[in-house]
């Protein structure tokens, strides 16, 4: 057979492109597998930067006592995405704890002096009986802050995370008051994020007035960057001091503080100081004087009358020979 010069075969050439792409995909997949953590860290870093950016935005609203719902919900959404992608990182649970804490503030809770003095006097039970909607969010924040510590031991020293735990303990009331006090004292307020400082001062004042740690209470009151933001009046500061001294068994100094609290207005502080003064005389084994104070206050006590009668019944039950003008049978 003769071939013409420069003859080309018309046989179809093999197409190697699919094979090349297939091999390239395998190579890239292998690289992605072996370096998957590095790749994940790159994207996690981006998401974390975005979370911090969103946090800076909503901090301004919180510091002005005007948290924005859309900002907090955006932070919550980003925190959930971050935690899903990084389930073994302590910071993931810390962000979730923060988002629940921010949502708690969104419900309308304010770290004001009026709420502080009432809870310091009654404890959290009465407050939560009026509105228990706060509890699920506080519980969620508390649990995630604990998870952050469990996943990453370094979070045991993370100031913001320790505050979230202490705040949860204060409201849950599962920890002893002395243990709560030790936890609060261990936190350096200078290292706290700005939107958490007022809450920390509030919890410190509450915890120390409930536990009887007057030194820590006075130390917190003296820090302008803490208690100053709460706008406490002198009467409110004296009332918290009196409560702390009372719970420490320092009755004489407590009486001295209480007498600076009372004024002509029969407000919550005046009424509470009178009832507390009666309790002190009762505990000092001066029940006639205690009953006399309760009888004096009763006509103008308004909705505090049942509280007065409850204490009077307790006194008379222990000292049945005492007589009183109070209507204990009602």
């Amino acid at each position: 057979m003769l071939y013409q010069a420069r003859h080309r075969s018309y046989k179809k050439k093999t197409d190697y492109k699919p094979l090349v792409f297939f091999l390239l995909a395998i190579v890239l997949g292998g690289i992605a597998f072996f370096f998957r953590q590095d790749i994940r860290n790159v994207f996690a870093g981006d998401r974390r930067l975005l979370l911090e950016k969103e946090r800076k935005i909503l901090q301004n609203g919180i510091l002005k006592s005007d948290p924005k719902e859309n900002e907090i919900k955006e932070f919550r959404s980003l925190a959930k995405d971050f935690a899903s992608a990084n389930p073994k990182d302590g910071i993931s649970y810390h962000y979730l704890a923060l988002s629940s804490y921010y949502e708690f503030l969104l419900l309308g809770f304010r770290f004001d002096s009026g709420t502080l003095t009432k809870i310091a006097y009654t404890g959290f039970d009465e407050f939560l009986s009026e509105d228990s909607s706060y509890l699920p969010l506080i519980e969620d924040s508390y649990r995630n802050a604990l998870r952050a510590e469990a996943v990453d031991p370094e979070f045991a020293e993370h100031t913001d995370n320790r505050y979230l735990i202490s705040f949860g303990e204060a409201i849950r009331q599962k920890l002893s008051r002395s243990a709560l006090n030790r936890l609060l004292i261990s936190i350096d307020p200078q290292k706290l994020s700005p939107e958490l400082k007022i809450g920390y001062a509030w919890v410190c004042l509450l915890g120390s007035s409930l536990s009887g740690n007057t030194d820590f209470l006075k130390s917190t009151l003296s820090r302008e960057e803490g208690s100053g933001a709460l706008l406490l009046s002198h009467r409110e500061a004296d009332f918290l001091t009196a409560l702390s001294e009372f719970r420490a068994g320092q009755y004489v100094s407590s009486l001295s503080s209480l007498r600076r609290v009372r004024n002509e207005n029969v407000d919550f502080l005046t009424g509470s100081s009178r009832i507390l003064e009666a309790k002190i005389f009762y505990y000092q084994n001066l029940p006639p004087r205690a009953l006399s104070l309760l009888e004096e206050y009763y006509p103008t006590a308004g909705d505090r009358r049942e509280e007065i009668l409850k204490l009077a019944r307790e006194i008379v039950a222990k000292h049945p020979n005492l007589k009183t003008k109070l209507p204990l049978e009602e």
Side-chain angles (χ1 to χ4, degrees):
M1 175 181 283
L2 298 174
Y3 289 90
Q4 298 178 358
R6 300 181 182 178
H7 172 78
R8 293 184 182 180
S9 172
Y10 288 95
K11 185 178 179 181
K12 186 177 180 181
K13 295 182 179 180
T14 303
D15 188 356
Y16 293 101
K17 287 183 179 179
L19 180 61
V20 171
F21 284 125
F22 176 71
L23 293 174
L24 184 61
I26 291 176
V27 172
L28 291 175
I31 293 173
F33 177 80
F34 287 109
F35 294 95
R36 62 189 182 280
Q37 188 58 53
D38 293 326
I39 295 170
R40 187 182 296 118
N41 289 341
V42 169
F43 287 104
D46 289 342
R47 279 194 289 264
R48 184 170 176 180
L49 288 173
L50 185 57
L51 270 164
E52 288 297 332
K53 181 180 178 181
E54 288 296 325
R55 186 181 181 186
K56 292 288 184 185
I57 292 171
L58 62 85
Q59 274 178 345
N60 293 327
I62 292 173
L63 290 171
K64 295 175 183 176
S65 298
D66 185 26
K68 297 292 191 298
E69 182 177 0
N70 62 319
E71 294 172 356
I72 291 173
K73 287 188 174 180
E74 177 65 17
F75 185 84
R76 161 70 85 177
S77 177
L78 289 169
K80 284 183 176 179
D81 290 344
F82 185 84
S84 296
N86 303 275
K88 296 182 179 180
D89 291 348
I91 191 67
S92 298
Y93 300 101
H94 176 65
Y95 283 135
L96 288 174
L98 275 174
S99 65
S100 294
Y101 179 79
Y102 295 151
E103 286 191 48
F104 160 77
L105 297 180
L106 193 60
L107 288 178
F109 189 89
R110 294 292 180 269
F111 295 110
D112 56 65
S113 59
T115 304
L116 170 62
T117 52
K118 286 182 180 178
I119 295 178
Y121 179 75
T122 64
F124 268 105
D125 291 336
E126 184 176 324
F127 171 76
L128 293 175
S129 67
E130 295 175 1
D131 188 351
S132 59
S133 63
Y134 296 106
L135 277 177
L137 288 171
I138 292 303
E139 189 70 20
D140 189 63
S141 176
Y142 171 76
R143 294 293 176 190
N144 277 310
L146 287 179
R147 287 189 190 102
E149 278 194 1
V151 170
D152 186 351
E154 290 186 7
F155 268 82
E157 303 302 323
H158 192 284
T159 307
D160 285 0
N161 204 67
R162 287 176 67 79
Y163 162 70
L164 293 174
I165 291 173
S166 67
F167 184 71
E169 293 285 10
I171 294 185
R172 295 171 75 252
Q173 303 179 82
K174 305 294 184 182
L175 197 65
S176 70
R177 289 172 177 175
S178 58
L180 173 61
N181 225 246
R182 289 194 296 273
L183 177 58
L184 290 167
I185 290 172
S186 72
I187 296 171
D188 183 355
Q190 299 297 328
K191 295 180 180 179
L192 277 169
S193 294
E195 81 276 21
L196 304 181
K197 288 187 176 182
I198 188 170
Y200 172 72
W202 191 92
V203 174
C204 285
L205 292 173
L206 177 65
S208 53
S209 62
L210 288 170
S211 67
N213 190 337
T214 309
D215 289 339
F216 185 46
L217 174 75
K218 291 180 176 179
S219 172
T220 306
L221 286 170
S222 67
R223 292 200 302 267
E224 183 64 29
E225 72 278 8
S227 62
L230 298 173
L231 302 177
L232 282 171
S233 68
H234 290 299
R235 289 180 69 219
E236 289 167 331
D238 285 334
F239 183 65
L240 294 174
T241 303
L243 284 172
S244 180
E245 291 167 335
F246 169 76
R247 286 163 178 148
Q250 303 296 321
Y251 296 140
V252 174
S253 55
S254 180
L255 279 173
S256 177
S257 297
L258 286 173
R259 286 165 183 164
R260 292 195 298 271
V261 172
R262 291 186 309 188
N263 62 19
E264 297 299 322
N265 297 323
V266 188
D267 57 8
F268 175 80
L269 293 181
T270 295
S272 299
S273 66
R274 289 183 174 182
I275 295 172
L276 200 58
E277 187 175 352
K279 283 185 180 180
I280 289 174
F281 283 114
Y282 170 43
Y283 294 161
Q284 288 183 315
N285 203 28
L286 295 169
R289 176 61 177 150
L291 280 176
S292 175
L293 287 171
L294 294 176
E295 289 170 350
E296 179 184 330
Y297 175 43
Y298 185 80
T300 59
D303 59 3
R304 308 293 293 274
R305 289 184 176 183
E306 186 52 42
E307 186 181 353
I308 291 170
L309 294 177
K310 182 179 178 181
L311 178 57
R313 291 186 188 108
E314 182 182 337
I315 295 171
V316 171
K318 192 171 182 180
H319 302 277
N321 294 328
L322 289 176
K323 303 297 180 182
T324 179
K325 302 173 186 177
L326 294 169
L328 301 185
E329 303 303 322
E330 291 184 1

